[in-house]
Amino acid sequence: MRRGSIALRLALMFTAVAVFIFALLGMALLQVLRHELRRHEREEVQSRLEDVRYMLEHGRSPQLAARAREKIAALESRNGEVRYWMWSADPAFRWADGAQAMAEALETDDRVVELPLGPGGRPMALMAARIPANDLRPAVSLIAGVSGAAPRQTLHTFEAAMALLALTGAGVAALLGYWVARVGLRPLQRLSAEAQGIGPDNRGQRLQLPALPIELTDMGQSFNAALDRLDGAYRQLETFNADVAHELRTPLANLIGQTQVTLARERDAAALREVLQSNLEELERLRSIVADMLFLARAEQGERARRLVDAPLALEVAKTVEFFDVLLDEAGLRVDVQGDAIAPIETALFRRALSNLLHNAIQHSSGGDVIRAHIEPLAGGARVRFTNASPPLAPEQLARLFDRFYRGDGARPNSGENHGLGLSIVRAVAAMHGGQAFATWTEGEITVGFTVAPH
């Protein structure tokens, strides 16, 4: 797709608006001019008619017919722009060939009629008058005509001038519009230059919103918000890389160290078997970390739970509690399951999240405590939460509980059972079911859970 220039588009828009305005004004002025020319034409032909009619109506001379013909001859132009016709039963009151036909054709007084009687067959404005008979002369039909060539030439000249003016104005509007657009877009160019100056070395730099025009403020705010999100993701990625390196370094160091010690001298089969068993445990831990990371990566790419079935959640919680019976007995804990709901879940994923939640509650509970599991139905979904005793937690700690490799106490135990991804997987499972993970602390108890929503 071809990219277009905003300045050029604005210039074309300005040109189109200018042409429209010029055309509108030209049409309006043309109509006004045409009306005025017609009025002037009517007044002129009427004046020409009155010059002779007044003599015929008020003349008392016995030579009235001769004087009327003399006056008509004086008023008519040689080029045919002004003409007269006069017809009467008395031959003395007749003027011009075809006067009788003209008198019969123009029966209405005081009305301008156009006929092609001017020079070269051009239209001529005609007006007729019926003059009643008196004691000195008979009834007379008088017709005066004025050529419309001059008004039409004026109209043609005006139209040509307006067309030329419109084209010139459109060209000027295009040039000025392009210049105005370029000047108006300078803040956008400065904005682009600022954005290009932001890189990995100055991720904290943001666009200067007070310097932006009002029209660009929203875009600047959105761009700064996007930079904030990218910066947060970048910091999270840096932290994640450091955490992954730390988590993988420990088992790899154990493997290398044990292997080096074993190879330092001769070992019997039992010793070698013990070292291999220890190495296998470290390899299992590495495999668990890698598998969990791959699962989180798929979840963050938008993978959704697909094999959904409507299942009673209390039964799933009970199965999970039964699986942890031995661990619960060793810790002196018990689980109280409350409520039930039926929701669409992918069973394997749901059990994985329940296992992580319950394992987290067991790790942070003391002997003799009761872990409460609550199941609440929602509109088409459900909420599952585990509550256990806990020391106070700051809001920023609660907000980070679901981050990868985060441990509230800052410890990094080497146990293969805990590598800091359990609650991250809970959040991923909730997202795959259209829900969310949550954590709250009130009055010495922490509640951690998640929701599942209908697809």
Side-chain angles (χ1 to χ4, degrees):
M1 182 178 179
R2 297 180 60 185
R3 294 180 299 173
S5 168
I6 295 179
L8 182 59
R9 290 181 183 178
L10 291 175
L12 291 177
M13 291 179 185
F14 290 146
T15 303
V17 172
V19 169
F20 175 77
I21 292 176
F22 279 125
L24 192 63
L25 289 177
M27 292 176 62
L29 292 175
L30 185 62
Q31 291 298 323
V32 172
L33 179 61
R34 183 178 287 115
H35 179 269
E36 288 300 312
L37 288 176
R38 286 177 178 173
R39 183 180 63 81
H40 177 74
E41 186 179 55
R42 176 185 177 85
E43 290 177 353
E44 183 178 1
V45 70
Q46 190 173 16
S47 174
R48 298 284 184 175
L49 186 68
E50 289 298 326
D51 286 344
V52 179
R53 182 165 67 173
Y54 184 84
M55 175 184 288
L56 292 174
E57 287 181 344
H58 299 88
R60 308 300 295 174
S61 171
Q63 292 80 30
L64 179 60
R67 291 183 177 180
R69 288 196 300 271
E70 290 175 0
K71 186 168 185 66
I72 290 174
L75 292 175
E76 276 192 337
S77 61
R78 294 182 179 181
N79 58 7
E81 296 292 330
V82 179
R83 295 184 61 184
Y84 285 89
W85 292 265
M86 183 170 62
W87 176 258
S88 175
D90 186 351
F93 288 90
R94 294 178 185 176
W95 179 267
D97 296 334
Q100 182 178 5
M102 292 286 293
E104 293 174 353
L106 303 177
E107 298 178 352
T108 305
D109 291 343
D110 299 329
R111 185 169 66 89
V112 176
V113 178
E114 287 192 352
L115 292 176
L117 300 176
R122 291 192 294 269
M124 175 172 278
L126 304 172
M127 181 178 287
R130 301 293 185 268
I131 304 172
N134 59 22
D135 55 344
L136 294 178
R137 57 162 177 80
V140 177
S141 293
L142 179 65
I143 302 166
V146 177
S147 174
R152 279 167 177 75
Q153 182 61 37
T154 302
L155 283 177
H156 294 328
T157 303
F158 179 81
E159 290 172 352
M162 286 302 302
L164 180 61
L165 179 62
L167 292 176
T168 305
V172 173
L175 295 176
L176 290 178
Y178 186 77
W179 177 78
V180 169
R182 294 281 295 179
V183 173
L185 290 175
R186 285 177 184 172
L188 192 59
Q189 296 172 349
R190 292 195 295 268
L191 182 70
S192 177
E194 279 190 58
Q196 291 176 358
I198 301 174
D201 298 333
N202 56 346
R203 299 197 317 266
Q205 181 178 335
R206 296 294 181 266
L207 301 180
Q208 302 300 315
L209 297 182
L212 293 178
I214 297 176
E215 293 79 4
L216 296 179
T217 301
D218 289 343
M219 186 178 70
Q221 291 175 344
S222 300
F223 188 80
N224 283 346
L227 290 179
D228 291 338
R229 293 191 294 271
L230 289 175
D231 189 37
Y234 193 89
R235 288 195 301 268
Q236 186 178 7
L237 182 61
E238 289 179 333
T239 304
F240 168 71
N241 290 336
D243 289 338
V244 168
H246 185 94
E247 293 296 333
L248 295 180
R249 182 181 62 183
T250 301
L252 288 174
N254 292 339
L255 287 171
I256 294 172
Q258 290 177 0
T259 303
Q260 289 175 340
V261 170
T262 302
L263 295 175
R265 61 184 177 85
E266 294 292 332
R267 304 284 181 177
D268 56 20
L272 291 175
R273 185 178 294 107
E274 182 179 353
V275 172
L276 290 176
Q277 182 65 36
S278 177
N279 287 351
L280 180 61
E281 291 177 359
E282 296 297 338
L283 290 171
E284 289 289 349
R285 182 183 179 197
L286 285 173
R287 184 179 69 174
S288 176
I289 293 175
V290 171
D292 288 345
M293 290 304 303
L294 289 175
F295 174 79
L296 291 174
R298 291 197 306 271
E300 289 178 354
Q301 290 175 1
E303 184 172 323
R304 307 283 289 186
R306 297 179 180 179
R307 295 184 292 272
L308 299 176
V309 294
D310 290 332
L313 303 190
L315 179 61
E316 297 299 327
V317 174
K319 290 179 180 179
T320 304
V321 172
E322 183 180 356
F323 179 78
F324 282 88
D325 269 347
V326 176
L327 193 58
L328 289 168
D329 289 341
E330 291 178 355
L333 302 171
R334 65 183 182 88
V335 179
D336 181 19
V337 181
Q338 302 174 3
D340 192 10
I342 296 178
I345 61 171
E346 185 171 330
T347 307
L349 294 177
F350 190 77
R351 289 177 182 174
R352 187 174 187 179
L354 291 178
S355 298
N356 289 349
L357 284 177
L358 183 54
H359 188 261
N360 179 75
I362 292 172
Q363 283 187 319
H364 296 88
S365 297
S366 304
D369 288 347
V370 177
I371 300 173
R372 299 192 304 277
H374 299 266
I375 305 169
E376 306 170 50
L378 300 176
R383 179 189 292 116
V384 180
R385 52 192 172 93
F386 286 81
T387 303
N388 58 277
S390 169
L393 291 177
E396 55 271 16
Q397 290 179 295
L398 289 174
R400 294 196 58 197
L401 280 182
F402 298 96
D403 291 348
R404 288 172 292 196
F405 300 116
Y406 177 75
R407 297 179 178 87
D409 57 3
R412 293 183 182 272
N414 293 328
S415 169
E417 298 178 355
N418 179 22
H419 46 257
L421 294 176
L423 293 184
S424 297
I425 291 175
V426 171
R427 181 173 61 182
V429 171
M432 294 172 74
H433 285 81
Q436 293 180 334
F438 59 88
T440 59
W441 185 91
T442 54
E443 299 180 357
E445 291 185 333
I446 185 172
T447 298
V448 184
F450 67 100
T451 61
V452 292
H455 285 222

